[in-house]
Amino acid sequence: MSESESAQRRLGEQPMLILSEDSERTSGRDARQSNISAGKAVSEAVRTTLGPRGMDKMLVSDDGDVVITNDGATILDEMDIEHPAADMIVEVAETQEEEIGDGTTTAAILTGQLLDQAEDLFEDDVHPTTIVEGYHTAAEIAAEAIEELALETEIDEDVLLKVAKSSMTGKGTGGVTAERLASVVVDAVDTVRDETDPNRDSIKVQSQAGASSAATELVEGIILDEEAANDAMPARVTDADVAVLDVELAVKTGDVDAEYSVESVDQLTAAMESEEEELKAYAETIRDLGVDVVFTTEEIDDRVAAYLARDGVLAFGDLSGSDATAVANATGAARVGDLDDIDAEDLGFVEEVHTETFDEDELAFIEGGAAAEAVTIFVRGGTEHVVDEVERAINDALDVVSATVRTDAVVPGAGASEIAIADRIRAESDAVEGRKQLSVRAFADAIDAIPRTLAENSGADPIDALVDLRAEHEASGRAGLIAEGRSAEVADPVEHGVLDPAAVKQEAVKSATEAATMIVRIDDVISAE
Ligand code: ADP
Ligand code: MG
């Protein structure tokens, strides 16, 4: 017996435990099957929401909070998913949301379909490595196809309006049309953009229930969730000099201790008087500088607020740091940390500041700032649920318009791009050898799921629709399934103004391929209990 053989014998006699007894392990076919099923199940959950005729989901949390939405990322985010492979689909949607802000449902569906196709390929004994290679090859072909699908039109306001509208059609936006919201969104981007830099961060969205969603409007400035420090302050100030402070307009806590180690009534009176003087001095410094509106990130003592109100100054205390930065950026004010250091140069300017009360909420509108452009889309809606969904639709639209401004490329929507991509992958798959060809073609079949799902969701027969789409694509080079009323018709999406940013499609292909191939490669799941 050789040395190594005897070593093995010894090991064989005493089984070596490398995992704790509590851990669970599934390998090979079982592991793959479980991962693929979980991934497919999650992707299946968002399928019915795709496209303008997609349905909504009602999500109820443990504590009874209800969210009604059509937004893939939101649905997946709210679902309490525990299976690790299923969680990877959620990550696909999150990545898509972070990178582009739209196309989350598309990406999740595509991932599920790639897994579904992989399941069939496994049945046909295609090795995981071959599947992965085939998917990567197909993804490269898809990326090239998307580049070539980009329309050769100039990305002007008309195109941006169409992109915005396409991203919002079918969302539960209450009484307001997608056209109206699209024009608010494009106005917002046009106000702050810098050539191909959309300046997305300069656009805020502030929502407030209590009026029809048709009242949603663009405010050329910022809106803060703040009320005036004193009721007697003016509700509206025009042509205002603005101070932005990080100063506590109250008696300093340190001073209080010193002041109260007093031994006589006289001393106490003196202490209180000096306190009063200190507070009055704050208000006087502000008034003497000619400040009309003051914002501070610290507390404003009621007495200081009363002095300021008497002088006709509007003041807001306890601002968040980011709100203070926003006000400073919009008005051109410098943030000042010490009142002794402030001078006229630190002040900003704004055309108008006013406060408005909505039910219990008070909002401050800061409009027409002298410095950088900052705009806010003020979202209205009859109820909280409507406002939330309008806000999600607006954010999607802001993201697609920004992506279009940045990348300067749009592709036909309504499934037309997917039909073209799948067609291209199939054509190029002829040159791929062996079983890998099966895998490349399977990728094309997965892409077909997007137009097929659009058809299903609009009540059309999915098989007929795919046949019609392919025939029309063959004949005219461009065929989408345009939602019309209660059904859908095969037509040219460009003529119907249904356009998506190329970046949405690129990212969806990329992230879905990454997630699906990662799941396919796994043949062992070891979980600690
Ligand atoms: P995602 O989360 O993937 O963005 P959506 O529910 O927003 O999902 O649906 C997007 C799909 O709907 C895109 O493929 C887009 O081209 C398509 N679409 C948008 N408007 C129309 C329309 N009027 N008719 C048909 N399809 C449309
Ligand atoms: Mg969308």
Side-chain angles (χ1 to χ4, degrees), residues 398-418:
L398 280 171
D399 289 336
V400 293
V401 171
S402 299
T404 308
V405 163
R406 202 171 52 238
T407 59
D408 226 19
V410 292
V411 295
S417 289
E418 285 80 2

Side-chain angles (χ1 to χ4, degrees), residues 267-285:
Q267 267 183 328
L268 183 61
T269 315
M272 283 166 67
E273 271 168 11
S274 93
E275 196 178 291
E276 201 68 25
E277 285 310 310
E278 187 185 342
L279 295 175
K280 203 183 271 176
Y282 291 138
E284 276 164 8
T285 310

Side-chain angles (χ1 to χ4, degrees), residues 36-76:
I36 288 179
S37 304
K40 273 166 59 183
V42 174
S43 141
E44 210 46 40
V46 294
R47 244 171 73 95
T48 58
T49 69
L50 183 76
R53 297 263 86 86
M55 291 288 120
D56 296 345
K57 304 260 168 204
M58 179 187 261
L59 303 149
V60 186
S61 73
D62 285 353
D63 41 20
D65 282 347
V66 175
V67 176
I68 299 168
T69 184
N70 177 283
D71 187 63
T74 309
I75 297 166
L76 295 173

Side-chain angles (χ1 to χ4, degrees), residues 315-361:
F316 302 90
D318 294 316
L319 250 70
S320 70
S322 60
D323 281 353
T325 305
V327 177
N329 285 345
T331 62
R335 271 170 79 167
V336 175
D338 189 337
L339 259 194
D340 293 336
D341 296 341
I342 194 166
D343 60 43
E345 282 193 355
D346 297 320
L347 303 186
F349 180 83
V350 71
E351 280 166 20
E352 181 179 309
V353 179
H354 75 268
T355 54
E356 223 173 302
T357 312
F358 301 88
D359 285 333
E360 284 121 57
D361 304 312

Side-chain angles (χ1 to χ4, degrees), residues 49-52 102-106 166 171 413-414 481-483 498 500 505:
T49 69
L50 183 76
D102 192 32
T104 51
T105 315
T106 302
S166 300
K171 306 269 179 222
L481 200 65
I482 309 296
V498 181
D500 295 324
K505 310 288 182 197

Side-chain angles (χ1 to χ4, degrees), residues 74-336:
T74 309
I75 297 166
L76 295 173
D77 184 44
E78 298 274 339
M79 279 165 67
D80 200 3
I81 289 167
E82 281 186 3
H83 194 290
D87 203 42
M88 289 169 74
I89 313 279
V90 180
E91 278 172 28
V92 169
E94 279 170 4
T95 310
Q96 181 82 21
E97 180 71 25
E98 276 161 30
E99 296 291 319
I100 313 290
D102 192 32
T104 51
T105 315
T106 302
I109 292 176
L110 190 54
T111 317
Q113 290 295 316
L114 289 172
L115 293 175
D116 191 39
Q117 293 293 332
E119 208 170 19
D120 293 347
L121 293 166
F122 282 130
E123 294 279 307
D124 294 342
D125 284 329
V126 182
H127 192 271
T129 312
T130 312
I131 299 178
V132 168
E133 280 172 10
Y135 279 7
H136 281 304
T137 302
E140 276 166 32
I141 301 170
E144 279 165 30
I146 296 165
E147 255 173 56
E148 282 167 27
L149 280 164
L151 303 184
E152 278 171 18
T153 70
E154 192 200 333
I155 306 294
D156 55 12
E157 186 173 324
D158 180 53
V159 170
L160 294 180
L161 281 170
K162 286 171 178 164
V163 172
K165 187 182 159 213
S166 300
S167 77
M168 290 191 284
T169 311
K171 306 269 179 222
T173 48
V176 64
T177 59
E179 270 102 354
R180 253 266 306 150
L181 290 183
S183 87
V184 172
V185 165
V186 173
D187 276 355
V189 175
D190 272 340
T191 312
V192 301
R193 71 181 275 192
D194 214 344
E195 305 276 331
T196 58
D197 180 358
N199 273 326
R200 175 73 175 80
D201 292 342
S202 302
I203 306 173
K204 296 269 176 292
V205 179
Q206 170 78 40
S207 57
Q208 181 67 49
S212 154
S213 52
T216 297
E217 60 171 350
L218 183 66
V219 172
E220 301 223 351
I222 47 184
I223 302 175
L224 304 182
D225 216 335
E226 294 292 340
E227 58 183 317
N230 183 298
D231 285 345
M233 285 177 174
R236 182 181 303 268
V237 180
T238 52
D239 295 331
D241 287 320
V242 176
V244 181
L245 313 175
D246 293 293
V247 177
E248 195 177 358
L249 300 178
V251 179
K252 302 275 181 298
T253 346
D255 297 354
V256 176
D257 293 340
E259 299 287 357
Y260 285 100
S261 55
V262 288
E263 275 132 33
S264 69
V265 174
D266 278 356
Q267 267 183 328
L268 183 61
T269 315
M272 283 166 67
E273 271 168 11
S274 93
E275 196 178 291
E276 201 68 25
E277 285 310 310
E278 187 185 342
L279 295 175
K280 203 183 271 176
Y282 291 138
E284 276 164 8
T285 310
I286 289 167
R287 184 197 61 201
D288 293 348
L289 210 68
V291 173
D292 303 298
V293 185
V294 59
F295 297 89
T296 178
T297 51
E298 306 279 336
E299 183 198 344
I300 303 180
D301 187 287
D302 287 345
R303 286 168 286 176
V304 178
Y307 288 132
L308 289 170
R310 198 192 54 199
D311 292 337
V313 176
L314 177 56
F316 302 90
D318 294 316
L319 250 70
S320 70
S322 60
D323 281 353
T325 305
V327 177
N329 285 345
T331 62
R335 271 170 79 167
V336 175

